[in-house]
Amino acid sequence: MSMPATSSDRAKVVSKLPGWLRQSLKVRTAQLGIEIQTAVEQGIDAWCDLASATASVDTAGAESFSTFLPPGQWEEFRSIAEDRRVSLIQGLAQSVQLWLDTNPAPDVQRPDVTRRIVVCNQKGGVGKTAITAGVGEALSEDPNRLFPVRVAKALAAALRAGDAQADASDTDTDPLDIEKLPGHGLRVLLVDFDPQCHLTNQLGAAPLAMNGDSLTNHMAGEPKGDLRDLLVSVDDEHFGGRLHLLPACHDAFLLDVRLSAVRAREAALERALMPLEADYDVIIVDCPPSLGLSMDAAAYYGRRRDGEGPGQSGALIVVQAEDSSADAYDLLTNQIEDLRNDLALDIDYLGIVVNLYDGRRGYIATSSLQGWIDIKDPRVVGLITDLKEQKEAVRMKQPLLSYAPASQQAVAMRALAREIS
């Protein structure tokens, strides 16, 4: 059946499609950035132009499906389906399948130069580890599935209002503020560069043994094996083998001492990780709360390389909406500026992430948030609320985006990943 649509010159059509085919249609149109009604229109046109019906499609369990088509197209389709002795449901299913077959999923867009994201702040306890993991998880999600993402305009509105729906008892976002988008499908390496091993522990891996090989040994020029042998895959079922972790070792507490004897020590992290870069699209480094030589090496690793555009790699600074984060921010940016000037480097700021935000804390939180927004350069690129799902995921030693994929924090992590992509 069909009836005129009041909002356009199209006609509303109600038929049926099997759930699996409708889901494939949703994913593919999202991947290609077109509307579902446009895809169905194109599929029906192509089906009607064929000399005969295509191979039969399994329509068992077909459920109600509606869309809007140009006036007269559905009537023409009905007539041709009748001539071919094909039911309307089968004809529509064949049309959609034909469109899918002729509009394949786009290839994952991989960077020409492996992106390096250095997640940092001299202050501990701001949630650098959670942001490192969340961004890496979001970038490695399945490109053939749809995930809820907070749209950019919603982030902007939240920042303007100084409010991130901080009611900790409510984990649901306003459906008007989110949309379903495909995962990025990127190959991501998370590097635990902190001797406290928080990222390693939170993702359920074991810290490396003190008497074995480690990133510290490779940076100090004393490797005991291939760094690849230390990598751990993170939740293959959810991330499809695209997300890996380089665990930390407590020997990193001595890294600054060992680096003091290394020539060109600011490049030590780059020398260690360079052999791994061909295997990954993005490498994200979870830095320790330190302003020592290790932070110099991390900042140097995130510098802009030849052939790399501005903002592809650089420092992502994690803060909280309170005064001590501002003091630590000044110390960190001064160190990066000194490194920029001393070595004539381009080190880009990817932005500021205000983490663990709770507007119920009143003036301290809201005024501090406004202070971060007022900086402008670097700008605030993420606002992550202080809710229970992240804490639960840490307790369960599971990635947040597989533990609670529809939670408000997971939705915000995906938005952050897109803001800095």
Side-chain angles (χ1 to χ4, degrees):
M1 60 176 290
S2 64
M3 55 186 177
T6 58
S7 59
S8 71
D9 60 352
R10 288 175 171 258
K12 183 177 181 180
V13 172
V14 179
S15 184
K16 289 186 176 182
L17 269 183
W20 65 269
L21 190 56
R22 175 162 42 187
Q23 183 63 19
S24 296
L25 179 62
K26 286 181 179 179
V27 172
R28 190 65 52 80
T29 53
Q31 290 172 328
L32 298 175
I34 68 173
E35 295 185 350
I36 288 178
Q37 64 183 19
T38 301
V40 176
E41 175 189 344
Q42 292 173 354
I44 289 177
D45 275 344
W47 187 83
C48 290
D49 288 341
L50 295 175
S52 62
T54 60
S56 180
V57 175
D58 182 3
T59 59
E63 299 177 348
S64 179
F65 172 79
S66 62
T67 188
F68 291 89
L69 298 175
Q73 187 187 46
W74 187 249
E75 287 70 21
E76 179 187 7
F77 170 73
R78 289 171 64 101
S79 175
I80 293 175
E82 184 177 351
D83 290 343
R84 294 176 180 174
R85 298 182 179 180
V86 172
S87 71
L88 293 178
I89 296 174
Q90 179 61 217
L92 180 60
Q94 291 182 16
S95 300
V96 170
Q97 186 62 62
L98 178 62
W99 183 86
L100 291 169
D101 291 342
T102 54
N103 291 271
D107 293 333
V108 172
Q109 296 298 307
R110 305 195 184 280
D112 295 330
V113 178
T114 299
R115 297 186 62 202
R116 288 119 24 243
I117 300 174
V118 178
V119 182
C120 51
N121 192 334
Q122 183 270 339
K123 185 179 185 298
V126 296
K128 295 185 294 292
T129 296
I131 299 303
T132 299
V135 170
E137 292 162 25
L139 291 174
S140 60
E141 284 186 310
D142 191 347
N144 295 310
R145 289 182 55 197
L146 299 180
F147 301 93
V149 181
R150 182 180 292 281
V151 296
K153 62 182 180 182
L155 172 62
L159 293 177
R160 285 196 300 271
D163 180 11
Q165 296 179 314
D167 182 356
S169 65
D170 180 10
T171 60
D172 295 326
T173 52
D174 184 340
L176 296 178
D177 289 343
I178 63 175
E179 58 182 300
K180 294 290 189 73
L181 296 173
H184 293 266
L186 298 176
R187 303 165 300 179
V188 178
L189 174 63
L190 304 176
V191 177
D192 192 347
F193 196 41
D194 187 341
Q196 299 173 93
C197 306
H198 290 320
L199 180 61
T200 300
N201 291 322
Q202 288 185 19
L203 293 177
L208 299 172
M210 286 286 288
N211 59 351
D213 201 10
S214 67
L215 177 60
T216 301
N217 289 335
H218 285 256
M219 291 180 65
E222 300 171 353
K224 297 183 179 180
D226 190 330
L227 205 58
R228 287 183 180 83
D229 295 337
L230 305 180
L231 304 183
V232 176
S233 185
V234 178
D235 197 349
D236 279 352
E237 182 176 347
H238 189 85
F239 302 107
R242 291 177 295 273
L243 182 62
H244 293 154
L245 166 72
L246 175 55
C249 178
H250 294 303
D251 68 356
F253 279 115
L254 303 174
L255 178 58
D256 280 8
V257 174
R258 296 179 70 178
L259 284 180
S260 65
V262 173
R263 181 175 297 177
R265 53 182 174 261
E266 68 279 352
L269 181 60
E270 179 163 284
R271 287 194 297 268
L273 295 179
M274 184 72 78
L276 304 180
E277 291 185 4
D279 298 329
Y280 296 98
D281 302 306
V282 185
I283 295 180
I284 308 178
V285 181
D286 182 24
C287 292
S290 166
L291 294 177
L293 298 179
S294 56
M295 187 60 226
D296 277 349
Y300 183 90
Y301 185 57
R303 79 193 188 287
R304 192 190 314 165
R305 294 178 181 170
D306 291 342
E308 191 172 26
Q312 293 301 296
S313 297
L316 183 64
I317 303 175
V318 182
V319 301
Q320 288 182 315
E322 39 77 32
D323 294 339
S324 61
S325 279
D327 296 335
Y329 170 84
D330 289 339
L331 291 171
L332 173 65
T333 53
N334 286 338
Q335 179 177 7
I336 292 177
E337 290 305 313
D338 287 344
L339 197 64
R340 274 175 161 177
N341 296 329
D342 292 346
L343 299 180
L345 304 176
D346 289 320
I347 302 176
D348 295 326
Y349 292 110
L350 302 183
I352 296 171
V353 181
V354 182
N355 193 32
L356 300 172
Y357 181 76
D358 188 346
R360 297 174 305 171
R361 293 173 183 154
Y363 176 74
I364 293 296
T366 56
S367 61
S368 295
L369 174 59
Q370 189 59 52
W372 293 118
I373 295 170
D374 290 342
I375 290 177
K376 305 298 185 185
D377 184 18
R379 67 187 179 91
V380 173
V381 292
L383 186 61
I384 312 297
T385 50
D386 185 11
L387 297 175
K388 64 184 178 65
E389 283 77 15
Q390 177 65 52
K391 299 180 180 66
E392 291 174 351
V394 170
R395 175 65 63 85
M396 299 299 293
K397 296 186 181 299
Q398 294 182 20
L400 170 66
L401 271 65
S402 59
Y403 173 78
S407 66
Q408 189 174 128
Q409 287 168 317
V411 168
M413 290 293 186
R414 295 189 187 100
L416 170 59
R418 290 180 183 274
E419 282 289 313
I420 62 175
S421 293

